[in-house]
Amino acid sequence: MVRTKEYRMKSESIKKFLYILPFMCLLAIFAYYPLYGWVYAFFDYTPPTPLSQSTFVGFKWFRSLVENQVKIDQLLQVIKNTFGMSGLGLLFSWLPMIFAIFLNEIKALRFRKFVQTVTTLPNFISWVLVYSLAFSMLSSEGIINGLLNQLGFTDSPILFLQDSEHVWITMWGWSIWKTLGWSAILYIAAIMSIDESLYEAARVDGATRMQVIWHVILPSLMSTYFVLLMLQIASFLNNGLEQYFVFQNAFNKENIQVLDLYVYNLAMGGGSYSVSVAISMLKSLVSVVLLFSVNGLSKMIRGESVV
């Protein structure tokens, strides 16, 4: 009987492992196998020369990042951009949670589903299409400039897409528009899992809707919020590439270049493949350090680890 039970447990474990095996293979192929490319940071590599025929230079490209004043200035500006845009994301990281609460407060079910669908759909639109929308609306000959001109507010078109001073805010705005509904889904699921007895107790005590939100819903969402916040801090340097790549131009390039875009421009635009890999390596290592630091902070404050 005991052996039969052990056999069933082992077979169940094997079956569950086989379920996740394809996803582990995909993770190994697309997440870990590309790490082999880090070897290019230690060679004087210029395509199409094979790596086997390239000169091994050790940490030359890492040293060049701090020995060349031009590269130091560029990196400082890129880091400033990265910190600025990631900082805005952290500063307003509570928006999806508040949006989910207000969605939950909409009592008309059809209208709630309509709002949730409309705000979630942009997440599935590529950044190329988002830029096409922005161009048709905000270019010098776009809808907004045409409307302002017809109403007599402007004599010459406003160059919205070429604006460099406010590019951090505009990039954050487009990112929020695209991801707000999708990011709220986790909080909506957390709201659905709140014990109904807490609502009933609040109603018995005569709590208003705002008091229910403040004393029941918000405390129940805090654990989800802090986990997502810590994961966001851990990926502080990972802004992504697509959004900034499609919105960059000669006028805003200095203030829109985040680390991911800078690495891409170095490799594809400047041909500095080895330097770009070196910077990418350092970024990944810092991200790992941030992840474990946040994990330790979570253990210390909440008693639970993130990873």
Side-chain angles (χ1 to χ4, degrees), residues 131 134-135 138-140 159-165 167 170-171 242-257 261 265:
Y131 179 74
F135 187 82
L138 302 172
S139 66
S140 58
L159 304 178
F160 293 106
L161 296 177
Q162 287 85 351
D163 181 30
S164 181
E165 293 182 8
V167 69
T170 54
M171 290 299 98
E242 297 89 348
Q243 176 185 3
Y244 308 100
F245 176 75
V246 296
F247 276 93
Q248 73 169 341
N249 53 58
F251 299 95
N252 64 15
K253 187 175 181 179
E254 182 180 353
N255 290 327
I256 202 174
Q257 271 200 129
L261 180 59
N265 287 337

Side-chain angles (χ1 to χ4, degrees), residues 7-25:
Y7 175 77
R8 286 179 180 174
M9 289 177 64
K10 284 183 180 179
S11 62
E12 282 295 320
S13 299
I14 293 172
K15 191 184 294 184
K16 290 176 181 178
F17 175 75
L18 291 175
Y19 286 151
I20 65 170
L21 184 60
F23 301 101
M24 293 176 66
C25 292

